[in-house]
Amino acid sequence: MLRASHLPPVASSAICTLRLSFISALGFSSPHRSHKYAASPPRGLISKTHLPNPPYPSPPLILNPGGPPISPHARHSRPGLRTSFRVEAGSGSSGDGKEILVQHLLVKENDQKLLLELQQRVSAGEDLSDLAVEYSICPSKEEGGMLGWIRKGQMVPEFEEAAFSAPVNKVVRCKTKFGWHLLQVLSEREESILGDILPEELHVKLQDPTFVEESQLIDVREPEEVAMASLPGFQVFPLRQFGSWGPEINSKLDTEKDTYVMCHHGMRSLQVAKWLQSQGFKRVYNLSGGIHAYAVKADPSVPTY
């Protein structure tokens, strides 16, 4: 969950927001559409500007008004991580280490007749994502009702209870203050980690040859930037060339390996780190401050520009 082109909006009478984080990522839809969507570049990722828009679409649905605030940038330390790492996690996370991939549609509270009709159509074999595009009143309809990978503490309680107790692939319904939902859990996985690594810490790690061999190091700057300053062991995946490597990322890299992402100042790399997390990479770390901070704080022999 690294598509964060818009911060989650405040719920209004017209639009409610199910999610509190950026985790809804393009590249996920129903099993029938997964290959088509995975081959599409994240919205806003390819940009003419130096800092392209984050690779995330408009956030989908429902704030958790009764729970603690959950910032997309909340950081928490985790067992097994050194203190220089800052790990992103929802403050409301239950800690059970489980994430679920959810799609849904939403209709108004007084549209129970429509709800029952749609549920019958799903039972007859129609795809929930297709119906979401046509009937859902949630902004996630633009993504076929896809909410992406979610953890506990990110949804309103009624929706969360239904989603985390639903069998995989079974369509269930639940009611929240925003209306009636039909939801489907498409998959489950172990909770992933998205964190920062300080320049000094990365510098120490780079002195160990086994670190470069056992990890994946990604530089998302443009070739002309890499020519001015670079670090050993980093593979170059230019952000503006996302269309050439994004659709094949799972064949180019190992989702199980620790993955470190770098750019000039740490902004573009954070976008890609979030996108990689959404694609199933288990442990992704962004170089805080980018190669510029690395040169200033850890290794003055690296040129700045």
Side-chain angles (χ1 to χ4, degrees):
M1 46 234 23
L2 233 223
R3 304 184 192 180
S5 56
H6 305 283
L7 292 177
V10 177
S12 69
S13 58
I15 289 183
C16 46
T17 306
L18 253 185
R19 299 289 313 276
L20 286 175
S21 74
F22 54 78
I23 299 177
S24 170
L26 194 66
F28 293 116
S29 183
S30 69
H32 307 293
R33 300 181 176 186
S34 58
H35 295 296
K36 180 182 72 172
Y37 277 53
S40 303
R43 186 179 303 174
L45 189 60
I46 309 304
S47 172
K48 294 180 181 179
T49 61
H50 183 62
L51 292 177
N53 294 327
Y56 302 90
S58 302
L61 189 78
I62 303 177
L63 288 172
N64 182 2
I70 303 174
S71 167
H73 305 292
R75 309 285 183 180
H76 299 272
S77 59
R78 298 254 183 112
L81 293 176
R82 298 184 62 167
T83 56
S84 57
F85 288 101
R86 293 179 297 158
V87 178
E88 182 165 318
S91 60
S93 176
S94 66
D96 61 6
K98 176 183 175 181
E99 293 179 331
I100 55 176
L101 180 61
V102 182
Q103 65 179 5
H104 85 128
L105 65 78
L106 172 69
V107 298
K108 295 179 180 179
E109 183 177 355
N110 58 0
D111 279 345
Q112 294 188 36
K113 182 178 179 180
L114 174 61
L115 177 76
L116 294 175
E117 176 190 333
L118 296 177
Q119 191 167 16
Q120 290 172 357
R121 290 171 65 175
V122 170
S123 299
E126 290 193 53
D127 192 276
L128 180 64
S129 61
D130 290 334
L131 296 176
V133 170
E134 186 173 357
Y135 295 101
S136 182
I137 62 173
C138 173
S140 65
K141 66 182 295 179
E142 301 299 328
E143 305 297 330
M146 181 55 58
L147 298 178
W149 291 99
I150 64 174
R151 296 185 295 267
K152 286 187 176 180
Q154 294 179 308
M155 320 295 285
V156 291
E158 301 88 350
F159 189 95
E160 182 175 287
E161 181 180 357
F164 278 88
S165 61
V168 174
N169 291 325
K170 183 177 180 180
V171 175
V172 300
R173 66 183 181 186
C174 70
K175 183 178 179 295
T176 70
K177 62 179 291 185
F178 303 105
W180 283 97
H181 307 259
L182 290 180
L183 68 90
Q184 183 178 27
V185 176
L186 300 176
S187 185
E188 298 179 351
R189 74 179 185 189
E190 192 178 315
E191 186 175 347
S192 59
I193 291 174
L194 174 64
D196 291 341
I197 182 171
L198 298 178
E200 301 88 338
E201 182 70 22
L202 179 62
H203 181 65
V204 172
K205 289 181 175 294
L206 286 173
Q207 310 314 305
D208 181 359
T210 60
F211 170 71
V212 176
E213 296 172 2
E214 296 173 357
S215 304
Q216 297 174 136
L217 310 178
I218 301 173
D219 188 337
V220 300
R221 296 175 299 148
E222 302 307 309
E224 58 270 22
E225 296 180 90
V226 177
M228 290 187 281
S230 62
L231 296 181
F234 276 80
Q235 304 177 64
V236 180
F237 289 87
L239 184 55
R240 291 182 184 173
Q241 299 177 28
F242 175 85
S244 66
W245 55 263
E248 301 176 357
I249 195 65
N250 289 84
S251 63
K252 293 179 179 292
L253 299 175
D254 186 346
T255 58
E256 299 294 326
K257 282 189 174 183
D258 289 359
T259 303
Y260 297 81
V261 192
M262 175 182 72
C263 70
H264 191 194
H265 290 293
M267 299 300 294
R268 286 171 288 173
S269 55
L270 179 59
Q271 296 168 19
V272 173
K274 291 177 178 179
W275 179 76
L276 289 171
Q277 185 191 38
S278 77
Q279 299 303 296
F281 284 71
K282 296 295 181 61
R283 295 173 300 278
V284 186
Y285 303 101
N286 179 51
L287 176 59
S288 180
I291 195 171
H292 179 81
Y294 184 92
V296 172
K297 297 181 180 180
D299 186 357
S301 69
V302 177
T304 59
Y305 63 96

